[in-house]
Amino acid sequence: TAPVTVAIDGPSGSGKSTVSRGLASALGLAYLDTGAMYRAATWWCRRQGVDLDSADAVTAAVAVMPLEMGIDPAAPAVVCDGVDITAEIRGSDISSIVSVVATNLDVRAELRERQRAIIAAERRAAGFSEGRGIVAEGRDITTVVAPDADVRILLTADEEARLARRARELHGSDDPDSLAATHAEVVGRDARDSTVSTFLTAADGVVTIDSSRMDAARTLEVALGVVEQVR
Ligand code: C5P
């Protein structure tokens, strides 16, 4: 089969990562978590002692960031400067400041080129007769990084569903205290992120999947159906 690029965007808590990894596993494709690249850039700037308020210093640091992105959907490791930061970059100290780095347009240009290179390499991956293909997830994959992707999906969910999912993920519960703590992180971050990317509404030709009232297994099933239609 010919290589396929699947682009998936959506806000935090939409179920993007679960669906993207599930799709890549089911279809034998590589997986790219572009959010992890922005998280890694944030980690790298902090490690280098860069003042996040200085856009030029952030840009210069990210330009030379030694980042290796794992593309195995079963265990996508993120290694920066030889350090495995896969778990660390999910923490709230990175989540709370990542938007500062991700709204720097020069940083976006740099990471966009790296993302395109990874996607292109997977489409012609060695060991696959016609190349392989990749599922890439983020906020601007369907619109900016890979607007020519074979399959483009916007995964949405209403705010209540997204907050409940994130609260369970971050705090192990969706009781009122956990929901309140999650609200500040998720809603604030999406608001900041949406100043540079339009991931809250689908661009032309992008298929919207609303996961508000579907569990992860059902959402994956629906996404697989969308991919099968074009494959
Ligand atoms: O998807 P995740 O929550 O890990 O993304 C972390 C952050 O990376 C987002 O809040 C956003 O600031 C940034 N991001 C982005 N563009 C992407 C993916 C992520 O700006 N394509």
Side-chain angles (χ1 to χ4, degrees):
T1 51
V4 60
T5 300
V6 181
I8 303 190
D9 288 328
S12 61
S14 58
K16 243 182 327 153
S17 294
T18 308
V19 169
S20 301
R21 290 174 66 172
L23 268 183
S25 292
L27 298 167
L29 302 176
Y31 164 72
L32 178 63
D33 177 359
T34 65
M37 296 176 75
Y38 287 94
R39 290 173 180 274
T42 307
W43 178 91
W44 170 246
C45 286
R46 282 227 310 221
R47 178 179 170 92
Q48 296 293 98
V50 168
D51 173 7
L52 291 187
D53 292 329
S54 166
D56 290 345
V58 168
T59 299
V62 174
V64 296
M65 167 174 63
L67 178 65
E68 292 159 64
M69 292 300 297
I71 51 159
D72 173 0
V78 181
V79 176
C80 189
D81 202 20
V83 184
D84 187 328
I85 57 172
T86 316
E88 188 180 344
I89 57 174
R90 313 302 320 169
S92 62
D93 38 334
I94 295 289
S95 299
S96 61
I97 56 174
V98 62
S99 298
V100 175
V101 174
T103 50
N104 176 317
L105 296 183
D106 295 316
V107 166
R108 300 197 72 77
E110 166 71 24
L111 295 190
R112 179 182 71 222
E113 291 316 311
R114 294 194 193 196
Q115 290 155 12
R116 285 180 178 163
I118 294 169
I119 291 168
E122 283 316 308
R123 287 187 68 96
R124 44 167 204 272
F128 295 82
S129 56
E130 290 184 71
R132 177 159 60 166
I134 190 164
V135 179
E137 63 147 294
R139 302 288 189 288
D140 63 346
I141 313 305
T142 62
T143 52
V144 176
V145 174
D148 56 349
D150 307 283
V151 183
R152 295 188 298 156
I153 294 172
L154 179 74
L155 194 59
T156 61
D158 57 40
E159 190 172 295
E160 199 187 335
R162 294 193 289 116
L163 282 178
R165 279 179 199 150
R166 270 293 195 218
R168 288 193 295 268
E169 206 175 288
L170 297 172
H171 306 284
S173 160
D174 54 10
D175 61 23
D177 284 350
S178 307
L179 281 177
T182 309
H183 188 275
E185 186 212 310
V186 169
V187 176
R189 186 150 61 93
D190 282 341
R192 287 189 294 276
D193 292 339
S194 57
T195 61
V196 289
S197 306
T198 50
F199 55 83
L200 298 174
T201 53
D204 260 7
V206 175
V207 178
T208 301
I209 299 177
D210 183 342
S211 72
S212 306
R213 269 155 288 280
M214 297 192 286
D215 64 10
R218 177 65 190 144
T219 310
L220 175 57
E221 214 169 75
V222 171
L224 271 170
V226 172
V227 176
E228 293 308 337
Q229 273 169 24
V230 305
R231 246 204 153 176

